[in-house]
Amino acid sequence: MWQLRDGAHPVLTDEGGAILSEHTGRWSYLTPTASVAVMLLLAGSTPAQAADRFATRYGIPAEQAAIDVRNVAETLTVQGLAHDEPTLAPATRSHRRWRWTR
């Protein structure tokens, strides 16, 4: 499932948006259509469902919508703001007892 990485904070509206990276301290600005693509992807839908909704919203062919949504997702992934890996459980620390031998 595609999602924003921890430390990526979105501010998304129909008029555009931005994503702040805690890691770099930089904002990535989004056009109105890119912002909508991100909102659809974050809504928990699959990329195909997001593309279908995107096509319906903007009255464009499904193939073009799929390309547009994929381009937004890939660009944010390359920028380190998102990933499409499954969420893993937090790593647990193993407590080891160290013993000194003489």
Side-chain angles (χ1 to χ4, degrees), residues 4-6 12 15 18 24 33 45 48 51 54 74 81 86 92 95:
L4 293 176
R5 290 197 179 275
D6 288 338
L12 305 169
E15 290 82 34
T24 64
T33 53
S45 56
F54 194 83
E74 288 176 356
L81 296 170
T92 58
H95 296 284

Side-chain angles (χ1 to χ4, degrees), residues 54-100:
F54 194 83
T56 300
R57 180 180 181 114
Y58 292 106
I60 60 174
E63 298 82 22
Q64 184 61 52
I67 291 168
D68 292 347
V69 170
R70 183 174 51 245
N71 284 340
V72 169
E74 288 176 356
T75 298
L76 294 175
T77 300
V78 168
Q79 290 177 352
L81 296 170
H83 61 90
D84 58 3
E85 303 159 2
T87 303
L88 301 175
T92 58
R93 290 185 182 160
S94 61
H95 296 284
R96 296 183 184 166
R97 294 185 179 190
W98 296 95
R99 186 176 16 195
W100 292 91

Side-chain angles (χ1 to χ4, degrees), residues 7-26:
H9 304 281
V11 178
L12 305 169
T13 69
D14 289 341
E15 290 82 34
I19 302 172
L20 173 64
S21 169
E22 282 183 7
H23 179 69
T24 64
R26 294 185 180 162

